[in-house]
């Protein structure tokens, strides 16, 4: 099982910004990349933003105009820029990659990274 590692989380105050990063494993061809978050311990992971290989993006309404999902030119590192953070953005954030790896279709998740926004 190939597991991803997120970075860039931590503590922020309301209105501040954070940028999360996620690096695809070498040899992984990404069809779709998503950032998810779990706001309630033990709850579901909810989609925050999604980026497809053709550049299409989707955001949950609550983060539109504040969050931006992007990738580097090599399509190996993916980002979630989070501006104007609010306390309700506090959650564990997960990176998800869906694509091709090791000769077959493959989906993998990161272990999650905590984002805490204080009021």
């Amino acid at each position: 099982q190939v597991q991803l590692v997120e970075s860039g989380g931590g503590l922020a105050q309301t209105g501040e910004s954070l940028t999360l990063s996620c690096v695809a494993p070498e040899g992984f061809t990404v069809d779709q990349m998503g950032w998810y978050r779990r706001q309630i311990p033990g709850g579901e992971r909810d989609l925050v933003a999604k980026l497809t290989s053709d550049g299409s993006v989707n955001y949950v309404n609550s983060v539109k105009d504040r969050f931006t999902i992007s990738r580097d030119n090599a399509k190996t590192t993916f980002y979630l820029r989070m501006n104007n953070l609010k306390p309700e953005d506090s959650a564990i954030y997960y990176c998800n990659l869906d694509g091709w790896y090791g000769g077959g279709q493959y989906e993998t998740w990161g272990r999650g990274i905590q984002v805490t926004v204080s009021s």
Side-chain angles (χ1 to χ4, degrees):
Q1 175 74 23
V2 175
Q3 191 166 51
L4 309 172
V5 177
E6 301 92 342
S7 62
L11 180 64
Q13 293 188 338
T14 298
E16 291 185 340
S17 300
L18 288 172
T19 299
L20 304 181
S21 301
C22 174
V23 180
E26 187 174 347
F28 198 113
T29 300
V30 179
D31 284 341
Q32 182 171 275
M33 183 275 166
W35 286 99
Y36 292 72
R37 65 187 180 188
R38 178 181 281 131
Q39 294 174 295
I40 301 172
E44 295 291 321
R45 285 183 291 202
D46 298 317
L47 178 66
V48 176
K50 185 178 291 186
L51 171 65
T52 61
S53 58
D54 64 359
S56 299
V57 296
N58 285 291
Y59 298 96
V60 67
N61 285 338
S62 61
V63 307
K64 282 181 180 178
D65 300 323
R66 298 190 298 122
F67 289 13
T68 303
I69 189 171
S70 64
R71 63 190 176 199
D72 65 356
N73 289 335
K75 301 181 183 179
T76 59
T77 304
F78 299 84
Y79 305 95
L80 183 69
R81 174 67 175 180
M82 304 183 293
N83 293 329
N84 190 22
L85 283 162
K86 303 177 180 181
E88 52 264 42
D89 294 319
S90 297
I92 299 174
Y93 285 72
Y94 299 87
C95 169
N96 171 265
L97 297 184
D98 191 354
W100 299 86
Y101 183 77
Q105 201 162 9
Y106 203 91
E107 180 183 14
T108 185
W109 289 87
R111 60 188 181 188
I113 191 165
Q114 181 71 49
V115 171
T116 303
V117 184
S118 61
S119 57

